[in-house]
Amino acid sequence: MATKAKIGILGASGYTGSELLRLLLRHPRVEIALLTADRRAGQAMRDVFPQFAPFDLPPLVSIESVDWAEAKLDLVFCALPHATTQKVVKAILNAAPSMRIVDLSADFRLSDPAAYARWYGHEHLAPELQEKAVYGLVEVYRRAIREAQLVANPGCYTTCAQLPVIPLLKAKAIDPDAIVIDAKSGMTGAGRAAREAMLFSEVSEGFHAYGVGHHRHMAELDQEFSKAAGREVIATFTPHLAPMNRGILATIYVRGRRGKTAEDLHEVLAKTYAKEPFVHVLPFGETPQTRHVRGSNMTFIGVARDRVPDRAIVVAALDNLVKGASGQAVQNMNLMLGFPETMGLEQIALFP
C-alpha cells in the first residue's frame, strides 16, 4: 500500500460524512480521493459546508458516476441513509473485490438477515455479504476488525449503552433481565434531511421521547447484550431528543448479581477500560456530561449508588457524531489498514 491510503466518503454532504472529512483532514496517512453527494453532485464541498473552503478537495459526484475498478481506493466510508447501503456495497465489491468498506448505516449491523427484515421492514438485499460483516465496536471486536473487509459501524445510542453494559454482562456482575437504558441525543442524530419535525421551532425549548417501545436500535442492543451474556437479553430502552446539536447521555439502571455492589461494578469497568485510549471511567460517584466529550472520540462512564442496595446507576456520555459515528469509523479504518488505532484522533480538541 502507498504511504497514503486513498479514501472515499459516500454521502459527504451529511452530518456524519462531513464529520469524517473533518477528522480525516487531520490524518497523516490518508488522501481524500473521492467525495459523493447525489443531490449536491457537481458542487464543491465548500458550497455545502463553508468551513472546508481552505482545503483542496475533490468535487462532489454522484455514486452512479463512479467507476469503482478505476478509482483504485483503499477504503470507502458509506455515510448513506439506512436501507440504501446494501445495494451500493454489493456494487462496489462486484467491481472492486479487494476494496475495504466501513458502513455507518444500519444495513449490516444485524448478523441475522431475518432480524434485519423484521426490524427494518424489508428483506436484506445482500445476505451473502452480511456473513462477512464484522460489527465495529472496537473495544469488543478489535481483533476481528483488523482482518475484516466490511465493518458495520455501530449506532450512536448503542455504542453509548454497550460500552458500559457489555463488560458487566461478561463478568456476570449484573442481572441480564433488569437493564433499563434512558438515553438522550442531540438533533444531529436524526440526520441532515429537511423535515418539519426537526425545525428549530418544533424542537427548541422542548424535550421528548420517541420510538417508545420499538426503536430500531433495540435490535442491536439485544444482539450484542445476548452475545455478552451467553443467553437472550432484552433490555428496556427509550431514546429522547434533546434540543442540542450533538451529544448522547445514557442513564442506565442495573441490578447487581450475587451481592455485587455499585462499587464492584465500577471496579469491573475501571479494569476493563484501564488501557483503552477512548473510554474513560470516572472516579466512583462522578457522572459525565455531554459537554465533557463534545467534539472528541471519547466515551466517559460514571457509576453511582442507587438508594436500593443491589442497584446501581451507570451514566455514559459521548459525541454522537464522533465516537457515536465518524470517529469510531476512523478507529475502524485505522485497524483495517494497519495504522495506529488512535491516529488522526488523538489531537481532537474538546470544545469548551
Side-chain angles (χ1 to χ4, degrees):
M1 186 180 296
T3 302
K4 288 198 172 186
K6 294 180 66 177
I7 302 298
I9 301 174
L10 312 188
S13 64
Y15 288 133
T16 56
S18 65
E19 194 74 358
L20 276 167
L21 186 55
R22 178 180 79 90
L23 299 175
L24 293 173
L25 284 170
R26 302 165 179 258
H27 199 293
R29 296 287 301 278
V30 305
E31 171 194 346
I32 308 297
L34 174 72
L35 299 172
T36 81
D38 286 357
R39 287 185 293 114
R40 300 282 195 158
Q43 293 182 279
M45 196 65 185
R46 63 172 294 165
D47 297 328
V48 185
F49 291 99
Q51 62 264 40
F52 294 115
F55 303 98
D56 183 19
L57 296 169
L60 296 166
V61 299
S62 68
I63 292 174
E64 291 75 18
S65 70
V66 180
D67 184 327
W68 297 109
E70 290 296 320
K72 299 190 186 312
L73 301 174
D74 294 297
L75 183 141
V76 168
F77 292 100
C78 294
L80 302 171
H82 304 319
T84 64
T85 309
Q86 290 162 2
K87 284 184 176 179
V88 171
V89 170
K90 199 174 198 177
I92 292 172
L93 294 180
N94 282 340
S98 63
M99 187 90 73
R100 301 187 109 172
I101 297 171
V102 178
D103 176 27
L104 282 77
S105 81
D107 281 15
F108 291 97
R109 292 175 188 162
L110 301 185
S111 57
D112 180 4
Y116 176 86
R118 190 164 60 250
W119 282 91
Y120 286 87
H122 64 87
E123 294 300 311
H124 199 294
L125 302 176
E128 71 284 2
L129 295 180
Q130 183 63 62
E131 296 174 2
K132 303 175 183 179
V134 173
Y135 190 70
L137 190 62
V138 175
E139 290 75 13
V140 177
Y141 296 109
R142 184 175 279 115
R143 183 176 299 178
I145 291 165
R146 284 195 178 100
E147 305 301 321
Q149 181 177 23
L150 171 59
V151 167
N153 217 56
C156 49
Y157 276 125
T158 49
T159 296
C160 201
Q162 287 169 6
L163 287 173
V165 172
I166 284 176
L168 300 177
L169 287 171
K170 285 185 173 181
K172 302 188 184 306
I174 59 172
D175 182 351
D177 297 319
I179 302 170
V180 178
I181 302 161
D182 184 325
K184 297 91 176 169
S185 172
M187 292 174 57
T188 51
R192 197 166 186 243
R195 283 181 285 172
E196 183 177 298
M198 294 295 107
L199 292 172
F200 177 82
S201 56
E202 300 291 329
V203 298
S204 68
E205 300 180 33
F207 181 73
H208 67 272
Y210 65 99
V212 178
H214 195 79
H215 189 279
R216 288 169 174 175
H217 277 338
M218 291 176 179
E220 268 182 82
L221 294 173
D222 292 351
Q223 173 180 281
E224 297 305 312
F225 287 171
S226 297
K227 286 181 183 178
R231 48 155 284 193
E232 184 180 39
V233 177
I234 301 176
T236 297
F237 166 66
T238 304
H240 301 74
L241 186 66
M244 60 185 184
N245 287 336
R246 53 203 297 163
I248 287 182
L249 186 79
T251 304
I252 304 165
Y253 305 94
V254 295
R255 178 184 296 142
R257 292 181 68 187
R258 302 189 182 98
K260 295 292 186 185
T261 65
E263 288 88 345
D264 295 326
L265 305 188
H266 179 266
E267 184 179 359
V268 170
L269 292 172
K271 287 183 177 178
T272 299
Y273 293 119
K275 296 183 179 179
E276 285 292 344
F278 297 121
V279 182
H280 178 64
V281 179
L282 301 173
F284 182 76
E286 293 185 16
T287 55
Q289 302 177 28
T290 57
R291 66 189 181 91
H292 297 161
V293 294
R294 181 177 168 87
S296 84
N297 198 51
M298 295 297 301
T299 300
F300 280 11
I301 300 173
V303 181
R305 296 187 194 93
D306 191 280
R307 292 183 300 166
V308 179
D310 66 345
R311 293 198 311 226
I313 301 166
V314 182
V315 182
L318 54 72
D319 187 317
N320 60 296
L321 291 180
V322 192
K323 183 58 175 172
S326 303
Q328 185 153 236
V330 172
Q331 259 186 284
N332 281 312
M333 177 202 74
N334 283 337
L335 290 172
M336 296 167 78
L337 297 182
F339 301 151
E341 184 181 319
T342 60
M343 185 172 279
L345 296 168
E346 322 97 315
Q347 303 301 323
I348 301 174
L350 276 68
F351 294 102

